[in-house]
Amino acid sequence: MNSFRFLIIIGLCLCSLLPIAQAADTVEYRTLSLADYRDKMAGGWIGQMAGVGWGVPTEFVWLSKIIPADKVPVWTPETINQFNEDDLYVEMTFLKTLEDYGLDVPLRQAGIDFANSEYKLWHANGQGRKNLRNGIAPPDSGHPAFNVHADCIDYQIEADYAGMIAPGLPNVGIELGEKFGSIMNYGDGIYGGQFMSGMYAEAFFETDPMKLIDAGLACIPADSQYAECIRDTVQWYKEEPEDWQATWHKLQKEWHENPEHRRIVCKERTKENMVGNIDAKLNGAYVVMGMLYGKGDM
């Protein structure tokens, strides 16, 4: 199946697979034309590329600090071109696997394709691939017993694809997270990707940031620490809707400095160098902050 045929199949599903249950005896449908889908899908990829490109110069530079306003990178059109960022290239492997084997591809095949990738990887991705090559199959390759990075952001930064190929179909993103996310992550590390894909899926029909966040939360366990962190962020936004730095400081105290919220991520690090934090929960909260305080302004 080539890429165009894959998109056509997704597009043809749009008018028949978007039911919203209302009452027991009624069902409403949301429809999306193939042209609108392709336009929004392209916008999603461009937005992801822009976000990655704009943020690259700041990565691991201001750890546990707010970037000074005069140090924020200046946007230029050329910034959109990114070729060596794991935030972008890893999910291309997932898409190729789906293109070759279909949406019901076995977890075993997904693991084989990821194990055969050759690009650079770090943290959960890197350990997950190492596990696969050493004979530890998924989902064990992402389990904390074999992967000390299980709660890191890896699948979260790669889950955009799962929402962009599933407009209005959050369960597809959830299922893809259970499959591809389990290769390198576990628990909150997978929930982060399912949360993001759920927001993407809803964004084909909704623009209200709060409703998008609710859609994402509906895709993960309500009693997870990930969901708790996102709910905290929303509450702090409501308390300080014009002061994003106040919310940032609350996140820093509760979800970075509190050891109860750092029980799994990167266990091999020492206390002294824990200033950096690529935990999925905290970084998911930063995404939510951008959505709420950004008010739709890129």
Side-chain angles (χ1 to χ4, degrees):
M1 185 192 304
N2 61 34
S3 299
F4 180 73
R5 286 175 57 202
F6 184 68
L7 283 175
I8 290 294
I9 289 173
I10 292 293
L12 291 175
C13 292
L14 301 185
C15 291
S16 60
L17 296 178
L18 301 175
I20 306 177
Q22 301 296 320
D25 58 345
T26 63
V27 176
E28 293 185 3
Y29 290 86
R30 298 185 291 187
T31 61
L32 187 69
S33 71
L34 180 58
D36 284 346
Y37 165 67
R38 295 187 71 170
D39 179 65
K40 292 175 182 290
M41 179 268 295
W45 283 112
I46 292 170
Q48 183 186 184
M49 292 163 63
V52 171
W54 206 349
V56 162
T58 72
E59 188 174 26
F60 298 120
V61 178
W62 285 275
L63 300 178
S64 297
K65 299 177 182 177
I66 293 175
I67 302 173
D70 63 346
K71 300 298 183 182
V72 174
V74 176
W75 172 264
T76 65
E78 293 74 22
T79 309
I80 200 72
N81 295 311
Q82 296 295 320
F83 301 100
N84 298 297
E85 295 300 324
D86 57 336
D87 306 69
L88 299 173
Y89 57 64
V90 174
E91 59 197 289
M92 299 303 161
T93 297
F94 306 156
L95 284 172
K96 187 62 169 65
T97 296
L98 292 170
E99 186 177 18
D100 289 344
Y101 300 99
L103 290 170
D104 58 349
V105 57
L107 177 57
R108 178 178 181 275
Q109 184 61 53
I112 290 172
D113 290 352
F114 190 72
N116 289 332
S117 63
E118 298 181 359
Y119 38 65
K120 291 183 178 181
L121 291 174
W122 300 267
H123 290 269
N125 280 331
Q127 185 61 54
R129 186 171 65 181
K130 181 179 179 180
N131 287 342
L132 293 171
R133 293 175 176 178
N134 288 336
I136 301 175
D140 286 346
S141 55
H143 193 279
F146 302 98
N147 195 326
V148 296
H149 308 277
D151 272 15
C152 283
I153 61 174
D154 301 55
Y155 184 66
Q156 178 166 272
I157 66 174
E158 299 152 7
D160 311 71
Y161 81 98
M164 281 191 272
I165 67 172
L169 301 167
N171 285 341
V172 173
I174 294 172
E175 182 178 356
L176 291 172
E178 293 298 322
K179 185 173 296 183
F180 291 97
S182 69
I183 294 173
M184 73 292 294
N185 282 106
Y186 181 87
D188 286 329
I190 295 178
Y191 301 153
Q194 293 170 323
F195 173 72
M196 296 297 167
S197 67
M199 292 198 293
Y200 265 106
E202 184 64 15
F204 283 92
F205 299 93
E206 180 59 64
T207 59
D208 184 331
M210 202 66 77
K211 291 181 179 179
L212 294 177
I213 293 166
D214 287 341
L217 285 173
C219 295
I220 64 175
D223 60 351
S224 63
Q225 281 199 340
Y226 193 102
E228 181 185 356
C229 181
I230 299 303
R231 290 194 299 267
D232 279 354
T233 306
V234 171
Q235 179 59 39
W236 293 330
Y237 163 75
K238 291 178 179 178
E239 294 171 0
E240 299 283 357
E242 303 302 325
D243 187 355
W244 69 266
Q245 294 195 17
T247 296
W248 185 91
H249 284 293
K250 291 176 181 177
L251 276 169
Q252 178 75 3
K253 180 178 180 179
E254 184 59 38
W255 290 96
H256 173 72
E257 297 173 3
N258 183 351
E260 283 302 300
H261 292 150
R262 303 199 64 174
R263 286 177 292 178
I264 295 179
V265 92
C266 297
K267 284 184 176 179
E268 85 285 2
R269 289 188 173 190
T270 64
K271 182 177 181 180
E272 289 72 22
N273 66 6
M274 286 293 277
V275 65
N277 191 346
I278 60 169
D279 174 78
K281 300 182 289 292
L282 180 65
N283 287 271
Y286 292 153
V287 172
V288 168
M289 279 183 61
M291 293 170 62
L292 294 174
Y293 286 100
K295 304 182 190 305
D297 185 340
M298 289 285 287

